[in-house]
Amino acid sequence: MDRTPYLAVAIDTPLRQVFDYRAPEGAAVGAGFRVWVPFGRRRVVGVVVEGIDQTEVPANKLRAAFEAIDAEPTLDPGLLSLLTWAAEYYRHPVGEVLTSALPVLLRNGAPVREEKFLWRLTELGREKALATLPARSVRLRAIAQYLTKQEQAPASEILSATESPSSALRNLEARGFVEEFAREKTDIVPPVSIVRAGPPLNEAQTAAVERIRNTLDFFASHLLYGVTGSGKTEVYLHVIEAVLARGQQVLVLVPEIALTPQLISRFRARFDAPLAVLHSGLNDTERLAAWRDAREGTARIVIGTRSAIFTPLLHPGLIIIDEEHDASFKQQDGFRYSARDLSLVRAQRLGIPVVLGSATPSLETLARARKQPETLSLLSQRAGSARPPQLALVDLRKHGATQGIATPTVMTIRRHLDAGGQVMLFINRRGYAPVLFCPNCGWSAHCRRCDAHLTVHARGRDLICHHCGSQEPMPPGCSNCFADVKPVGQGTERIEEALQQLFPGAPMARIDRDSMRRKGELEETLARVNRGEIRILVGTQMLTKGHDFPQVTLVVVLNADQGLFSTDFRASERLAQTIVQVAGRAGRADRPGEVLIQTEYPEHPLLTLLLTGGYAAFADGALTEREQSGWPPFARIALLRAEATDQDAPLKFLQDAHDLAVDFPVRGVQLLGPAPAPMERRAGRFRAQLMIRAPSHSPLQKFLSGWLPILAMLPEARRVRWSIDVDAAELS
């Protein structure tokens, strides 16, 4: 490594720049290394973006980096290049981007490789440390308490968790309270083997596997477009087997790891291979261990959620994005990246294939596949003897309802229960009722911090805002006229209550974010469903994400009309995807499935298309409409968002930004707005947005590169909190 006198260092700060430092003496430090540097009055971890020979910072103001944290780069050149590219593409501060790609312990200075030595309390320490250490020895006591709970841990973990210097450990060691010892050597990783073979593939699955296997030596973007229950996971497993046989690693991204336990169990049942799982439910130590296993090549299969796209891989061979259409692959705050889109960029740079799988592909992915039909694999039939479910509409205008469940729906549920089937009811609304209403004067309970109603939650008799989390006790009556108030509309709690009254002998479970809070509770409930102990299942979108319920024969969509009428051009796409995904839970085994969709608009074109032609017919029409109107995927958009406690400040800032755009003319670029956000006030802050639309990627990026750096200089910029969202997925 060539030594350079200076380093360009990225630091976790919202400032859109890197910072120059003198290289630490006596150390060869280059791009991808982490270094301790002075930043203001703090000592912080920075990531070296590049070594430089010259700097514009005056010599008397240039500070020196203290030291390198490791003797090797934390980020390999390919991953560092991807991250810096992403920072530029999404127009986000590079320091925050690089930091977000690292586990928390690495951000705090933990070594990149597993430490060979651990610390623990001695027998004397267990007996007397906390009893004899004075109260003023805060850090010493904190270390003793930490080791009492953890029993043993590496120094970096202890010092990070207790915010203590290394001298504190040595102090305790000198007192005989702690001791350092060598970590036991782990066994050599066994060779990968197949635990058991999967079921035989049908013709379409076989063709898909061969098509993907034939591209393992170079980049190719595959769309595995298979109806629900068509065996997409089996295709993944067969391709993964080929990749593992080549000594390579596989990265699998899923929408929410906590919601896909069946996927993980299927991988472990098929392969005797080290597997690393990365998701937000891990503690910092677990996440770092999984990250290290992936980086060192120990983990042959890496499964994770959105942020796992930045996991280092020693021998990358394949990337899989399961349920690629899912909105959770797009980060909606901070560094607003799309893991699906970055997977394409990363695979291309690595020269490996990427597989995007879905029963309801995003319109962007479908449009790309139509340009490259050789990489499109269609699985149009369900695997085995399973048949597609029969879909029907229930016209709510013609039938009475019990707490939102129409009479024909009740009769159909009873028929399926009597036949021994399981029933699933989907309503994408948590709580008991979305509105608390006064029939006497028309008052309704609103959040004091948001332009939204408070949701009634019956269990705690509380009113909760699902947007900012504000909570209030249920009032005894109307705050205007003191008359009795009543909940209006249905949520999962109310549907569960109604079903208990209608079917008192049927065991049921509710799956939403309120009922599944305890760790492991979701997995336990799903296991009961698969054992047949649960007959009726009520839930939100948590039910739609990758679950396989072989005994479910009836699915009911209760609130299909949500999304039929929206100002967001993506709303119809999301609704179609949700309905098809929910419907796909029915009839996945030998027993035929049935789907009922309750609606007050049975003649709506979207519902008609789904019933007559399925998702493919909807997508054809939607793509034609998008192309004619000039919306993605036939254009590129970005949203400039602003918010402030003052109602006028965001719109004033955005108007100034709009006026400034005339100084940066780029052909084809349009600015739409500014306008208040669909929910203008949220969490006590007023929000507005300005849309930038361009015919393609190049003019959009050209415009943003000249325009964005000037926005911070606008007088109104200091009065608002503003951000840019490139390839915005939500217009909220």
Side-chain angles (χ1 to χ4, degrees):
M1 180 187 302
D2 295 333
R3 296 191 179 186
T4 56
Y6 309 111
L7 305 174
V9 179
I11 294 172
D12 187 10
T13 169
L15 297 175
R16 298 171 182 267
Q17 65 180 87
V18 294
F19 300 87
D20 292 352
Y21 288 89
R22 292 199 308 274
E25 292 187 11
V29 179
F33 278 75
R34 288 175 304 142
V35 288
W36 286 108
V37 296
F39 190 70
R41 296 182 177 180
R42 297 182 295 141
R43 171 187 167 103
V44 300
V45 174
V47 178
V48 178
V49 175
E50 61 177 335
I52 52 179
D53 293 316
Q54 295 181 333
T55 175
E56 296 180 359
V57 180
N60 62 336
K61 293 185 177 181
L62 191 65
R63 306 170 77 179
F66 294 125
E67 59 182 332
I69 296 174
D70 301 296
E72 61 183 309
T74 303
L75 299 174
D76 63 72
L79 189 52
L80 178 63
S81 175
L82 174 72
L83 289 164
T84 54
W85 178 90
E88 183 176 0
Y89 180 86
Y90 291 105
R91 303 292 161 181
H92 197 77
V94 65
E96 292 187 350
V97 171
L98 296 183
T99 300
S100 68
L102 297 175
V104 170
L105 293 178
L106 291 184
R107 302 176 201 174
N108 296 335
V112 71
R113 291 190 180 273
E114 184 179 65
E115 294 166 77
K116 297 180 180 180
F117 293 91
L118 302 176
W119 290 81
R120 63 189 173 199
L121 290 171
T122 61
E123 185 175 345
L124 177 65
R126 287 192 295 272
E127 293 177 357
K128 296 187 176 181
L130 291 174
T132 59
L133 287 170
R136 65 177 179 274
S137 300
V138 177
R139 289 173 173 168
L140 300 185
R141 292 182 62 85
I143 292 174
Q145 289 172 338
Y146 188 80
L147 287 177
T148 299
K149 182 179 179 180
Q150 297 294 329
E151 294 187 359
Q152 60 185 40
S156 61
E157 178 186 324
I158 298 169
L159 301 180
S160 173
T162 61
E163 298 183 354
S164 302
S166 57
S167 58
L169 264 178
R170 296 301 177 188
N171 186 323
L172 288 170
E173 183 183 34
R175 297 172 185 237
F177 290 158
V178 299
E179 61 183 355
E180 188 178 21
F181 65 99
R183 184 191 297 267
E184 291 183 10
K185 292 183 178 180
T186 56
D187 294 333
I188 298 174
V189 178
V192 175
S193 61
I194 307 301
V195 176
R196 61 176 176 81
L201 300 180
N202 60 33
E203 186 177 344
Q205 289 174 309
T206 301
V209 170
E210 288 305 309
R211 185 176 290 112
I212 299 168
R213 280 180 173 175
N214 289 338
T215 64
L216 292 182
D217 290 318
F218 53 88
F219 168 72
S221 170
H222 294 271
L223 170 58
L224 186 60
Y225 184 2
V227 299
T228 54
S230 60
K232 292 185 291 296
T233 304
E234 231 8 89
V235 172
Y236 299 156
L237 292 169
H238 277 74
V239 177
I240 289 172
E241 181 179 340
V243 175
L244 296 181
R246 294 159 60 100
Q248 295 176 305
Q249 295 168 282
V250 178
L251 173 62
V252 183
L253 296 192
V254 292
E256 296 183 52
I257 200 75
L259 306 182
T260 53
Q262 295 175 17
L263 180 65
I264 298 172
S265 64
R266 287 185 68 176
F267 276 55
R268 286 181 169 149
R270 182 68 65 87
F271 301 114
D272 182 12
L275 186 149
V277 181
L278 288 151
H279 59 88
S280 58
L282 303 177
N283 63 39
D284 292 343
T285 303
E286 292 169 332
R287 191 172 186 87
L288 177 57
W291 187 93
R292 283 170 171 162
D293 285 346
R295 180 180 184 271
E296 294 168 10
T298 304
R300 303 294 299 279
I301 302 172
V302 180
I303 303 178
T305 47
R306 180 177 56 229
S307 62
I309 188 58
F310 302 122
T311 305
L313 301 169
L314 185 63
H315 303 296
L318 175 69
I319 299 176
I320 295 173
I321 313 295
D322 191 33
E323 306 293 352
E324 66 83 28
H325 67 278
D326 199 285
S328 61
F329 283 124
K330 181 71 160 71
Q331 174 79 19
Q332 296 298 342
D333 54 23
F335 173 30
R336 293 174 169 84
Y337 65 92
S338 165
R340 180 195 66 203
D341 295 349
L342 283 178
S343 73
L344 296 171
V345 178
R346 187 174 187 189
Q348 186 174 38
R349 289 170 172 236
L350 291 172
I352 62 174
V354 59
V355 179
L356 308 178
S358 177
T360 54
S362 64
L363 296 186
E364 285 84 355
T365 298
L366 271 177
R368 188 184 307 112
R370 289 183 174 184
K371 295 178 181 177
Q372 300 173 314
E374 69 278 5
T375 59
L376 171 62
S377 296
L378 286 171
L379 305 181
S380 56
Q381 301 294 325
R382 286 191 159 185
S385 59
R387 290 171 291 172
Q390 296 295 315
L391 275 68
L393 299 180
V394 176
D395 190 343
L396 292 176
R397 301 170 303 179
K398 297 180 180 179
H399 300 286
T402 301
Q403 299 291 11
I405 307 175
T407 301
T409 302
V410 174
M411 296 171 63
T412 307
I413 292 173
R414 182 168 285 113
R415 173 164 54 84
H416 279 262
L417 291 177
D418 290 344
Q422 291 176 321
V423 176
M424 176 191 297
L425 292 95
F426 169 80
I427 178 168
N428 202 27
R429 184 182 284 151
R430 292 185 294 128
Y432 187 81
V435 180
L436 185 67
F437 177 74
C438 175
N440 188 51
C441 71
W443 171 88
S444 58
H446 279 78
C447 177
R448 299 175 185 177
R449 305 177 68 221
C450 303
D451 293 334
H453 286 99
L454 292 169
T455 299
V456 180
H457 282 252
R459 178 172 294 180
R461 302 293 296 173
D462 290 324
L463 298 176
I464 300 175
C465 177
H466 287 178
H467 301 281
C468 71
S470 295
Q471 188 167 333
E472 299 178 11
M474 183 80 73
C478 174
S479 62
N480 276 350
C481 66
F482 307 105
D484 290 339
V485 293
K486 69 175 186 177
V488 176
Q490 289 79 36
T492 50
E493 288 182 6
R494 194 169 200 170
I495 295 300
E496 180 185 31
E497 178 185 86
L499 290 167
Q500 288 170 343
Q501 295 171 355
L502 291 166
F503 308 100
M508 63 184 66
R510 173 166 57 91
I511 293 184
D512 57 28
R513 296 202 180 281
D514 297 321
S515 62
M516 298 287 122
R517 291 182 175 178
R518 182 171 53 84
K519 187 175 182 180
E521 193 166 11
L522 176 62
E523 290 82 353
E524 179 183 326
T525 302
L526 295 179
R528 292 179 61 208
V529 173
N530 288 323
R531 291 196 299 266
E533 298 171 10
I534 302 295
R535 301 295 306 285
I536 301 177
L537 198 56
V538 182
T540 60
Q541 280 192 347
M542 290 181 74
L543 289 175
T544 71
K545 297 174 184 283
H547 299 306
D548 185 18
F549 303 114
Q551 300 177 64
V552 169
T553 57
L554 173 65
V555 167
V556 180
V557 180
L558 292 174
N559 59 340
D561 296 341
Q562 279 189 326
L564 287 179
F565 308 99
S566 173
T567 57
D568 189 339
F569 70 92
R570 296 186 194 272
S572 61
E573 178 185 359
R574 292 197 191 97
L575 179 61
Q577 290 167 340
T578 298
I579 291 176
V580 173
Q581 290 285 341
V582 174
R585 304 307 113 190
R588 294 171 71 97
D590 296 334
R591 308 173 81 176
E594 187 176 356
V595 178
L596 296 182
I597 302 172
Q598 296 191 165
T599 177
E600 292 186 358
Y601 306 94
E603 298 87 8
H604 193 282
L606 186 150
L607 297 177
T608 302
L609 271 176
L610 288 180
L611 256 66
T612 58
Y615 185 76
F618 160 78
D620 286 342
L623 281 169
T624 300
E625 187 178 291
R626 295 269 189 96
E627 186 171 20
Q628 292 173 349
S629 57
W631 288 110
F634 304 99
R636 292 296 184 105
I637 64 170
L639 274 185
L640 180 64
R641 293 186 172 97
E643 60 178 52
T645 54
D646 175 14
Q647 185 173 10
D648 296 329
L651 284 170
K652 180 66 171 64
F653 167 76
L654 293 176
Q655 186 60 55
D656 290 348
H658 182 283
D659 296 342
L660 186 67
V662 298
D663 296 332
F664 302 93
V666 176
R667 186 176 181 180
V669 173
Q670 295 176 293
L671 271 68
L672 307 177
M679 181 183 291
E680 183 177 12
R681 188 169 62 103
R682 184 170 181 174
R685 302 181 70 86
F686 293 91
R687 307 180 306 146
Q689 53 196 32
L690 174 65
M691 179 180 289
I692 305 97
R693 183 168 66 174
S696 62
H697 157 75
S698 182
L700 178 64
Q701 289 291 335
K702 181 179 179 181
F703 171 76
L704 293 177
S705 66
W707 182 58
L708 284 179
I710 310 299
L711 297 187
M713 302 179 187
L714 290 173
E716 293 292 322
R718 294 186 178 183
R719 297 182 58 204
V720 301
R721 183 187 299 161
W722 64 273
S723 63
I724 189 72
D725 187 357
V726 177
D727 298 337
E730 293 187 0
L731 305 186
S732 59

